[in-house]
Each structure stands twice: as C-alpha cells, then as structure tokens.
Amino acid sequence: MSHVLAAVAWPYANGPRHIGHVSGFGVPSDVFSRYMRMAGHDVLMVSGTDEHGTPIQVQADKEGVTPRELADRYNRVIVEDLHGLGLSYDLFTRTTTGNHYAVVQELFEGLHRNGYIVPKVTMGAISPSTGRTLPDRYIEGTCPICGYDSARGDQCDNCGNQLDPVDLINPRSKINGETPQFVETEHFFLDLPAFAQALGKWLDSREGWRPNVLRFSKNLLDDLQPRAITRDLEWGVPIPLEGWRDRSDKRIYVWFDAVIGYLSASIEWARRSGDPEAWRKWWSDDAARGYYFMGKDNIVFHSVIWPALLLGYSGEGDHGGEPGELGRLNLPTEVVSSEFLTMEGRKFSSSRQVVIYVRDFLARYDADALRYFIAVAGPESQDTDFTWAEFLRRNNDELVAGWGNLVNRSVSMAAKNFGAIPPAGELTAEDRALLETARAAYGSVGGLIERHRQKQAITEAMRVVGEANKYLSDQAPWKMKDDLDRMGTVLHVALQAVSDCNTLLTPFLPHSAQKVHELLGGEGVHAPMPSIVQVEDLDGGPSYPILTGDYSTGSRWESVPIESGRPLAPPKPVFRKLDPSIVEEELARLDPGSRGHLRVSHVAADPGD
C-alpha cells in the first residue's frame, strides 16, 4: 500500500461548471482515485472552489452582490453538481477559509524569507472609465510572440507563452472594449528564473507522462521570467508582510493562492480527521505519490509554477534557503492533463452560451451515461467533440445493448429458472476461457488506469463484456430446458463474468455498479459515494458545504467467487435506453443561428469561461 494524492484542479466559482470542465478535471480524477482505493492504496483526493480574483469581483458588481455572496452561491452549485456525478472527494472545500488563508500566507512568507519573492515596480493596467485595476486575463490583444490576435494579458492560448499586458499589441479591455491606461505600481514577483535548473532536472526525471505535457513543460523553461505574485485588488488573501498586511488595495494574486489549495485542502482534511498532522503522509513521505488532474490550459501552473513554489519553500532553488514550518514538500509525481472537449464542433464558452451545464445534463440523463462518454470518448490525449448523436449512440449501443443487456439476460434467466445463483457443474473449455478472460482483465485494465490510459482501460473492460455476451449467445442456455445442470453451469459462469465486469467497470460507472451488485444479490456498499456536509470554518469564518465521504468500504480490485444459492429477483434495467428524438430535442434548445448555443434559462449569471 502507498499513499496517493489525487490533486484535482479547482473550478472557478463565478458560475456553474459545464461538461467540458468535468471531462478534464472531474471524471478522470475520480476514475483514478476509485481504482487506486480498490487496489489497496491510501488515497487522498482533494480540491475546492477557487474564489478570489477580479473575475469574481467583476461578476459580483454586475449582479449587485458582494464577492463573498457570489462565491457562496456558486460554491454550493458546484458542490451539488460534483456530488451528482459521484466524484469521491475526501475533501472538496473552498479558498475563502481561514485555513486556506493561513497556508497561503505561510508559503508566501517562506518563499520571501528564502529570497524567491522580490519587490518590483511595474506597469499596471487601469480602466480609464472606472479607475479600477484591470486583471491580466481581462485584457486582450495581439500576442507579440506569435501574432495571435486574441491573446490574454497573462498568457497566449495559441503559443502558450506567459505575457504581460503592457507587451500586448493593441490591448483592449474585455469588459468594455476600452484601451487600458498603464501606470506604475509596486508588486511582489516570484523569481521563476531561479528555478530553471531545478525544474529542468526534475522534469528530466519524469517517466510515463503524456508526451505533450512533458514537451510543453520543458519548452517553457527556455524563457522563464519573473512573474507577478500580487495585484492591485480588494478581493483576495492579504499580503503577510509588514507595511502590506493591512492594505486594502493589494492582495495576493489568485493564481498563486489557488495552486496552494492542494496543500491547504490536505491540511484542512487532516484537521477535520482528528489528526492535524495526517496530511504529511501525502506531502512529506518520499514514497508518497501525487497526481494532478486538469485541462491543458492549466499545465503551466502545475508543471512549472507550483513545483517552483514547492522548491522555493523547501529551499531548493538557486538561492538555497531553509524549509518553513511545514517542512520539505513533495513535488508532483505526474501532471495528468486532458485536452479540450468541444460541443457540436465549437469550443465550450459559458460567456458565449456554447455550453451544457452539468446540472442541466444530470437533470435529464444519468450520471453514469455522462461518465461513460467522458471515459470512452473524452479528450484524454486529443481534443474531442461532444455531439448529441454520438452520446445517444454510446448510451444505446454500448451501455444499454452491451453491458446492460448482459446483466439483464444473465440475471433474469437465472432468476426465472432457479430463483438464485445456480451452482456450477463440470466446466468446459469455453467456460474456463471466459472466466480466465475476465480474471486476466484485472491486471490489464488496472494497469491502464494507473498509467492514466482510461480510454484503453474502459475499452478493454467492455471487450470482456462483449466476450461474455458472445459466450451467452453461443451457449444459448435458454435452449437447455432438458439439461438444467448444464444450464445452471452456463448461467453460473455468465454471472461470474457479470460480477467481474462490474468490478472492472466500477471506477467508471459507480452508480450502476452498485445496482448490479444488488441485482447479483449483494448487500452493503459496493461503490461508496460522497456526501454533502455543512461544516463550520475551523478558524471562525462562516459555515460552508463540503464534499467528503467514507471510502474505506466497497469492493476490492479482485475477482470474488459468486455465491451459489444467493437469491435473485427479476432485474430492473440498469441503464435507460434513450429515444432517438432526444437529439432533435436537444438541438431544438439551441439558438436558431447556431447549433452550438444552448439556452439555460435558470442561470442568472453570465459566468466566465
């Protein structure tokens, strides 16, 4: 057994999340975490809502509420959506807790003591009409490096380079289109160049990463620049230095604050567990492993900036230094980045209404149907397009006609003819071949999940489902009315295959896995689910909802012989077959001018992308 950290990207709390978001950070991290727990590892899966920064302030101003009120609203929406998907967080929290503030300020002070955070006078962007600071991501212009005409002030999504708004050609405000004014302002910067050597050595030691992630990360090291770590802003974590602590116009930059959330959430989980030091098993033990899940637009923060913060706090950059009170902290084992999910040929964009919100999807379709689509057809290693026609096909032809059909006909025949799981008689070569195929899949499917090859893993699991369906069709037990011993043996073998396939599919389809477990006469929890719990802030702030759960129960990653004589009842369908008319119904929700627009009338805000 080893300690495994599943560090999941923090969704931004300025609006509900769409299925493109959860295809990158949500479902892949849960599949991995569920499998690793089943395989006997001690998993800590943490995340929360990212709630600071100017986008929250801008959205709150639009709605006439405070930033905290806006964050509270969408924190709860996101918690409910992730709960609906069955994402098994040990702790899903938020960045507006006293605990998070304290951990962020501790890392800031440690980096500052070691010489990796330095003051610098720079040019800040101001809105001429309001006099307020414009955040980098709210300034758009032409990239001075590649010429892309929609580069953001902090990063160009086309070439991936870090940018400064003042360097953009023809900069303009994304809020109102005006040209920003640039004025002198003092800020603190992270000395990223001081980590180039240490980061290069670390990246060279990485094995098994997705090639695009490793290649992109190494290329970033060629031109590292000091990066601003504070901002002219009222909403965020205060700067914990003399002369700055009580200033209302300066805050720690949200990108710095958010990545530290992985550590602060681990510490909060430990404090809530009754053992405040328990987090160190995942962060200080050299044998522990840490996997970070996000979309490809977040690679730089997880493969360069977060490791730099960890190195600097531990005193391991060019300037040396000593670890702070939290001690030396582990670097990521792997950065698991997914590509983008598009919708009907267009990029998801909440602001442009090219979107399918998670809660709207779950209101009409089963969670496992979405989880299955993401696992088998999602953007694991290349951009993938979501279409309603493909969703319908995957649901009906694979989930219903493949897996659901195997479960239904195996259980129904056994229930009808025996009322229980029948005993197995003498096995034929065909019987043994199917049982061996199912047993062998534990190693192949599990190994693929552990290496973050989830498409291959679920495809292999469904291949075993196909072999079991073929076995049933070839053996035709319904024709064996005059040979009940042989019928019972065939159905026993088929039900054993169903049990094994159910275990193989549990990380992907936990809701239906519990149903299949019960159809086979099983009792208790097969696939543990998260719960929403309202908790008090540990440091005196307002209460808030968290996602958490007890995942110590449930099935293990092994073949368990089914119990002959266990009563069976006629089964209910595990999956819903969808009528082809849903494609037209869903497309009818789209704006007449574009197949990529989805009207969602109940969403009050116009959330950012």
Side-chain angles (χ1 to χ4, degrees), residues 6 101 113 126 144-145 160 174 223 238 270 278 291 419 430-431 451 523:
Y101 275 45
R113 279 195 307 270
I126 301 294
I145 299 171
K174 290 179 69 175
D223 188 31
Y291 299 88
E430 291 80 6
D431 302 337
R451 298 195 304 276
E523 298 177 349

Side-chain angles (χ1 to χ4, degrees), residues 57-131:
Q57 180 75 65
V58 170
Q59 185 66 35
D61 289 347
K62 278 186 184 179
E63 298 190 31
V65 297
T66 67
R68 176 72 195 212
E69 288 171 333
L70 185 85
D72 283 348
R73 181 199 310 166
Y74 288 119
N75 164 259
R76 184 168 292 277
V77 166
I78 292 168
V79 164
E80 291 172 353
D81 289 350
L82 302 185
H83 175 261
L85 279 171
L87 304 188
S88 57
Y89 290 98
D90 292 278
L91 179 65
F92 185 89
T93 180
R94 60 194 306 183
T95 57
T96 47
T97 67
N99 175 82
H100 179 71
Y101 275 45
V103 176
V104 169
Q105 291 176 331
E106 167 60 23
L107 259 71
F108 188 102
E109 290 177 291
L111 286 158
H112 186 260
R113 279 195 307 270
N114 288 339
Y116 297 106
I117 290 180
V118 295
K120 181 180 177 182
V121 174
T122 184
M123 302 301 289
I126 301 294
S127 166
S129 61
T130 67

Side-chain angles (χ1 to χ4, degrees), residues 344-406:
E344 299 284 352
R346 299 185 62 186
K347 182 179 177 180
F348 274 95
S349 171
S350 300
S351 59
R352 297 181 179 90
Q353 293 186 306
V354 184
V355 67
I356 309 169
Y357 291 115
V358 171
R359 61 181 33 220
D360 293 297
F361 198 103
L362 296 182
R364 298 193 287 276
Y365 308 105
D366 295 336
D368 278 3
L370 177 57
R371 290 177 64 111
Y372 180 77
F373 182 92
I374 291 171
V376 78
E380 181 175 278
S381 56
Q382 64 183 20
D383 291 354
T384 303
D385 195 37
F386 176 91
T387 68
W388 287 109
E390 180 66 0
F391 170 70
L392 176 78
R393 186 188 72 78
R394 294 282 188 181
N395 183 85
N396 288 358
D397 295 355
E398 296 173 12
L399 276 185
V400 177
W403 176 221
N405 180 53
L406 174 64

Side-chain angles (χ1 to χ4, degrees), residues 184-441:
E184 285 191 350
T185 182
E186 185 177 15
H187 282 291
F188 287 98
F189 278 67
L190 176 66
D191 187 6
L192 270 179
F195 301 105
Q197 184 175 353
L199 286 170
K201 182 179 179 181
W202 170 66
L203 286 170
D204 286 341
S205 72
R206 300 299 88 197
E207 296 180 354
W209 283 31
R210 292 174 180 171
N212 61 317
V213 178
L214 195 57
R215 183 169 55 250
F216 177 78
S217 303
K218 287 183 175 181
N219 287 342
L220 292 172
L221 302 185
D222 294 338
D223 188 31
L224 289 181
Q225 300 294 328
R227 189 171 182 121
I229 209 166
T230 59
R231 267 296 176 260
D232 293 312
L233 192 59
E234 303 165 10
W235 175 241
V237 180
I239 301 166
L241 298 176
E242 194 65 34
W244 294 78
R245 193 182 308 270
D246 297 325
R247 293 188 61 168
S248 62
D249 62 335
K250 301 281 185 180
R251 290 290 185 270
I252 292 175
Y253 207 168
V254 65
W255 65 258
F256 177 88
D257 137 36
V259 292
I260 296 173
Y262 302 117
L263 176 60
S264 70
S266 301
I267 292 173
E268 181 185 344
W269 168 84
R271 293 176 68 189
R272 294 190 182 281
S273 75
D275 180 3
E277 298 300 309
W279 64 271
R280 295 185 186 275
K281 298 173 185 176
W282 287 269
W283 287 91
S284 303
D285 185 345
D286 289 340
R289 292 180 281 167
Y291 299 88
Y292 290 71
F293 295 83
M294 81 290 305
K296 65 180 177 181
D297 52 340
N298 269 327
I299 293 176
V300 62
F301 294 103
H302 295 83
S303 67
V304 173
I305 291 175
W306 178 227
L309 300 185
L310 293 168
L311 287 164
Y313 183 80
S314 300
E316 297 177 10
D318 289 353
H319 305 322
E322 296 294 329
E325 66 179 37
L326 299 177
R328 183 187 175 278
L329 301 169
N330 290 344
L331 296 179
T333 302
E334 184 172 354
V335 172
V336 186
S337 167
S338 298
E339 302 295 296
F340 288 144
L341 185 73
T342 56
M343 174 187 164
E344 299 284 352
R346 299 185 62 186
K347 182 179 177 180
F348 274 95
S349 171
S350 300
S351 59
R352 297 181 179 90
Q353 293 186 306
V354 184
V355 67
I356 309 169
Y357 291 115
V358 171
R359 61 181 33 220
D360 293 297
F361 198 103
L362 296 182
R364 298 193 287 276
Y365 308 105
D366 295 336
D368 278 3
L370 177 57
R371 290 177 64 111
Y372 180 77
F373 182 92
I374 291 171
V376 78
E380 181 175 278
S381 56
Q382 64 183 20
D383 291 354
T384 303
D385 195 37
F386 176 91
T387 68
W388 287 109
E390 180 66 0
F391 170 70
L392 176 78
R393 186 188 72 78
R394 294 282 188 181
N395 183 85
N396 288 358
D397 295 355
E398 296 173 12
L399 276 185
V400 177
W403 176 221
N405 180 53
L406 174 64
V407 173
N408 187 72
R409 62 178 179 160
S410 301
V411 175
S412 61
M413 278 189 283
K416 178 181 178 181
N417 291 281
F418 299 93
I421 296 177
E426 185 175 348
L427 300 182
T428 66
E430 291 80 6
D431 302 337
R432 292 191 181 91
L434 177 61
L435 294 174
E436 179 54 35
T437 295
R439 281 193 295 266

Side-chain angles (χ1 to χ4, degrees), residues 39-56:
H41 300 288
D42 199 346
V43 175
L44 180 61
M45 179 176 169
V46 294
S47 185
T49 44
D50 177 7
E51 300 181 2
H52 292 127
T54 305
I56 296 283

